[in-house]
Amino acid sequence: MPQLGDTVPDFEAQTTQGPIRFHEWLAGSWAVLFSHPKNFTPVCTTELGDVARLKPEFDRRGVKVIGLSVDELARHGAWEDDIEETQGQRVDFPLIADHDRHVSQLYGMIHPNASDTLTVRSVFVIGPDRKLKLSLNYPASTGRNFDEILRVVDSLQLTANHSVATPVNWRQGEDVIIAPSVSDEAAREKFPDGWKTLKPYLRVVAQPKG
Ligand code: BEZ
């Protein structure tokens, strides 16, 4: 199972948008790979609808989205119709058909003491360097909050672009924290409008633009 900072494993898979080789599909983009336990199940249906609703937000951040389930490719199309009918959203991102559980095993999405056949609800956020930036696992009975995944993406992109970290419960537009790895001297160049030093290790600055 990949850990934070690892290059994520490559694989080949069938998806609803054709066969892919994962590293090629990433193509230097940010990406979110997420698993759901099973097609035609209630919580999964609501989750897929919500990711479809949020797709323009992922697009705006340059983040590719790809789902996975252990069902066969032939079962994905009819389920996508159900999602559109009940959630009012057409799924317009690829779904991996991981019938042989190759990808699920590679990414540690099967937790045998929860279920030895179905995946848990895993999320992997992957950077343009193909390294793992975030992973989380939820049980089958709890739908995830994909607004939170977008919030994490915003935080990760701020760190990548501006060397800042985000404090507890941070929301878009609120103050951020200058990363401890940035010296005061370097910070003066990066943040010419200044910052507030609450402690030498806690320097608060307005959220950088862009
Ligand atoms: C669901 O999506 O509702 C679900 C999937 C697998 C097991 C239990 C619930």
Side-chain angles (χ1 to χ4, degrees):
M1 176 174 182
Q3 299 191 325
L4 300 192
D6 292 352
T7 298
V8 295
D10 197 14
F11 58 84
E12 288 181 39
Q14 297 298 324
T15 82
T16 48
Q17 297 185 2
I20 60 161
R21 177 176 276 282
F22 190 54
H23 280 186
E24 272 172 27
W25 179 84
L26 288 171
S29 179
W30 288 85
V32 172
L33 165 66
F34 67 102
S35 60
H36 51 267
K38 195 155 180 52
N39 290 10
F40 302 105
T41 51
V43 176
C44 295
T45 299
T46 62
E47 283 191 331
L48 269 282
D50 201 50
V51 177
R53 177 183 69 81
L54 291 172
K55 175 76 170 20
E57 290 297 320
F58 285 105
D59 289 345
R60 204 160 63 75
R61 291 160 172 81
V63 181
K64 295 179 135 189
V65 177
I66 188 163
L68 173 148
S69 93
V70 295
D71 286 73
E72 286 168 26
L73 193 59
R75 283 171 55 82
H76 281 353
W79 187 38
E80 287 182 345
D81 292 343
D82 283 5
I83 293 165
E84 184 169 17
E85 183 188 327
T86 62
Q87 309 301 306
Q89 301 287 338
R90 186 78 202 164
V91 173
D92 61 350
F93 52 86
L95 290 180
I96 295 169
D98 191 34
H99 193 48
D100 64 3
R101 294 170 176 71
H102 172 65
V103 182
S104 312
Q105 299 285 2
L106 206 53
Y107 278 74
M109 294 166 172
I110 294 189
H111 297 199
N113 291 325
S115 165
D116 53 9
T117 53
L118 306 180
T119 62
V120 295
R121 298 186 192 281
S122 300
V123 180
F124 298 90
V125 178
I126 300 159
D129 55 2
R130 297 179 181 162
K131 297 223 161 91
L132 182 63
K133 307 298 181 188
L134 166 129
S135 64
L136 60 79
N137 293 302
Y138 272 38
S141 51
T142 304
R144 289 158 286 192
N145 180 339
F146 285 92
D147 288 316
E148 169 64 4
I149 304 303
L150 280 172
R151 193 187 76 92
V152 173
V153 165
D154 286 342
S155 171
L156 288 167
Q157 293 187 339
L158 278 169
T159 302
N161 298 333
H162 300 288
S163 307
V164 294
T166 55
V168 61
N169 297 332
W170 171 84
R171 311 290 319 177
Q172 189 56 247
E174 293 177 356
D175 287 352
V176 298
I177 291 169
I178 301 173
S181 56
V182 177
S183 67
D184 278 352
E185 191 186 355
R188 271 188 284 278
E189 274 195 25
K190 276 180 182 295
F191 310 107
D193 293 340
W195 62 88
K196 212 171 2 170
T197 302
L198 303 181
K199 290 282 177 190
Y201 58 83
L202 179 49
R203 296 167 297 173
V204 178
V205 69
Q207 180 185 327
K209 303 266 180 296

